[in-house]
């Protein structure tokens, strides 16, 4: 029996092994992804990002518990940890804060390292989400490393993006300065029992009032993707014609994840966002944009691989040496190598 068939049959051991194959970009993993792709497209992908120390892992833990207890939904968690730039290793310690989920067969937690990729998301995260989707997990939560501005990658992958902030981190608008406020569908002020929560929430509200755009425009490889907002539900819903779409302003939800407070209200806000995306047509547009980004990335990877096969290492090194000696510009080197050296 192939990995893909075993995963479709609900075998957890096969799922675990396939995830390893996918993360390592093995041939077996690629073959399984091809077989599983027709079975994908049903899961709700939730991205959770924010500054380090805001309690993202504890929040994910409580959110998964809520979905299991109230809706009996199968939940998969992909916890992305940063890799060391020196050793290449990663702690992969997020599951330490998710011990409440241990023993539940309806929950699958997978930690993975960024392996140097930018944006807080490893290259294989999207593929791993597809495997969970095909395996029948209805909710897939992707917790990222909280790297800052490059966290826009999670907005391209997830249907709903939660940006988590916490008071007492030295700056009430840390998330805004990091540039990740703009990708939020829902703003979460976690650890709201701490002093200064009112100031944090006030700062976030004032920035939302200042921004308050009727629509945002995401650039996908030069193509503008317009995103409208709905004030009643709280997040962006992309439509090609957004003039008639209701405006969505990200709601601000207080939580205390260590005590489970505010989690039910957060889940309700997420449900409203899903309803908004479905009603406005934003779900289909986001899915198209997500697959477009994935397709472009695969095309780029394939073209680079073919280029490496056609150009010898000596030709490449010779061009690089001439660049170092300033005898050839990078543009001239590319033109030379693309023409066969």
């Amino acid at each position: 029996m192939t990995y893909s068939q075993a995963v479709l049959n609900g075998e957890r051991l096969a799922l675990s092994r396939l995830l390893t194959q996918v993360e390592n970009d093995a041939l077996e993993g690629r073959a399984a992804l091809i077989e599983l792709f027709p079975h994908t497209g049903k899961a709700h992908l939730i991205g959770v990002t924010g500054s380090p120390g805001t309690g993202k892992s504890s929040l994910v833990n409580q959110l998964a518990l809520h979905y299991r207890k109230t809706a009996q939904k199968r939940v998969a968690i992909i916890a992305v940890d940063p890799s060391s730039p020196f050793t290449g290793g990663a702690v992969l310690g997020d599951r330490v804060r998710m011990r409440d989920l241990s023993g539940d067969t309806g929950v699958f937690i997978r930690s993975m390292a960024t392996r140097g990729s930018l944006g807080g998301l490893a290259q294989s995260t999207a593929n791993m989400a597809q495997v969970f989707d095909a395996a029948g997990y209805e909710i897939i939560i992707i917790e990222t490393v909280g790297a800052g501005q490059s966290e826009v990658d999670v907005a391209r992958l997830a249907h709903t993006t939660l940006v988590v902030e916490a008071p007492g981190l030295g700056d009430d608008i840390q998330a805004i300065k990091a540039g990740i406020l703009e990708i939020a569908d829902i703003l979460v002020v976690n650890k709201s029992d701490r002093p200064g929560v009112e100031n944090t929430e006030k700062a976030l509200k004032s920035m939302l009032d200042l921004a308050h755009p009727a629509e945002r425009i995401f650039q996908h490889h030069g193509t503008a993707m317009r995103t409208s907002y709905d004030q009643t539900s709280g997040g962006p819903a992309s439509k090609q014609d957004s003039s008639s779409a209701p405006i969505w302003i990200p709601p601000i939800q207080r939580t205390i994840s260590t005590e489970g407070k505010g989690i039910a209200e957060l889940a309700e806000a997420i449900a409203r966002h899903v309803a908004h995306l479905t009603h406005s047509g934003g779900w289909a547009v986001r899915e198209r944009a997500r697959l477009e980004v994935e397709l472009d990335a695969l095309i780029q990877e394939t073209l680079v691989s073919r280029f490496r096969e056609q150009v010898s290492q000596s030709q490449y090194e010779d061009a690089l040496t001439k660049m170092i000696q300033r005898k050839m510009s990078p543009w001239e080197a590319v033109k030379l190598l693309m023409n066969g050296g």
Side-chain angles (χ1 to χ4, degrees), residues 44-123:
H44 178 206
L45 275 63
I46 302 174
V48 180
T49 187
S51 306
T54 54
K56 296 187 295 293
S57 296
S58 299
L59 185 71
V60 168
N61 174 64
Q62 290 294 333
L63 198 56
L65 280 172
H66 175 83
Y67 282 125
R68 290 297 297 152
K69 289 179 180 178
T70 60
Q72 292 296 307
K73 290 187 176 181
R74 299 182 70 199
V75 181
I77 299 170
I78 304 175
V80 186
D81 262 5
S83 299
S84 168
F86 303 104
T87 65
V91 177
L92 303 179
D94 295 277
R95 63 184 65 195
V96 173
R97 298 181 179 88
M98 302 180 188
R99 286 175 291 188
D100 296 336
L101 303 173
S102 61
D104 188 343
T105 56
V107 177
F108 199 110
I109 305 172
R110 178 74 180 199
S111 296
M112 62 183 299
T114 56
R115 300 188 178 189
S117 67
L118 298 176
L121 286 175
Q123 297 264 342

Side-chain angles (χ1 to χ4, degrees), residues 16-37:
S16 179
R17 288 175 174 171
L18 177 56
L19 290 171
T20 301
Q21 296 286 339
V22 168
E23 187 175 5
N24 293 331
D25 197 25
L27 291 177
E28 287 180 287
R30 289 190 179 189
L33 284 170
I34 294 172
E35 294 175 11
L36 290 174
F37 188 76

Side-chain angles (χ1 to χ4, degrees), residues 225-226 237-240 281-290:
M225 184 183 79
R226 298 184 180 274
S238 304
K239 287 190 76 175
Q240 292 177 349
W283 187 284
V285 174
R286 286 194 175 198
E287 189 70 10
R288 175 187 171 88
R290 185 175 69 82

Side-chain angles (χ1 to χ4, degrees), residues 125-145:
T125 306
N127 290 337
M128 295 178 76
Q130 283 186 13
V131 173
F132 280 124
D133 190 355
Y137 288 87
E138 300 154 279
I139 303 288
I140 302 173
I141 304 176
I142 304 165
E143 181 200 341
T144 72
V145 298

Side-chain angles (χ1 to χ4, degrees), residues 271-287:
R272 289 196 302 271
H273 182 245
V274 172
H276 168 70
L277 288 180
T278 305
H279 174 72
S280 66
W283 187 284
V285 174
R286 286 194 175 198
E287 189 70 10

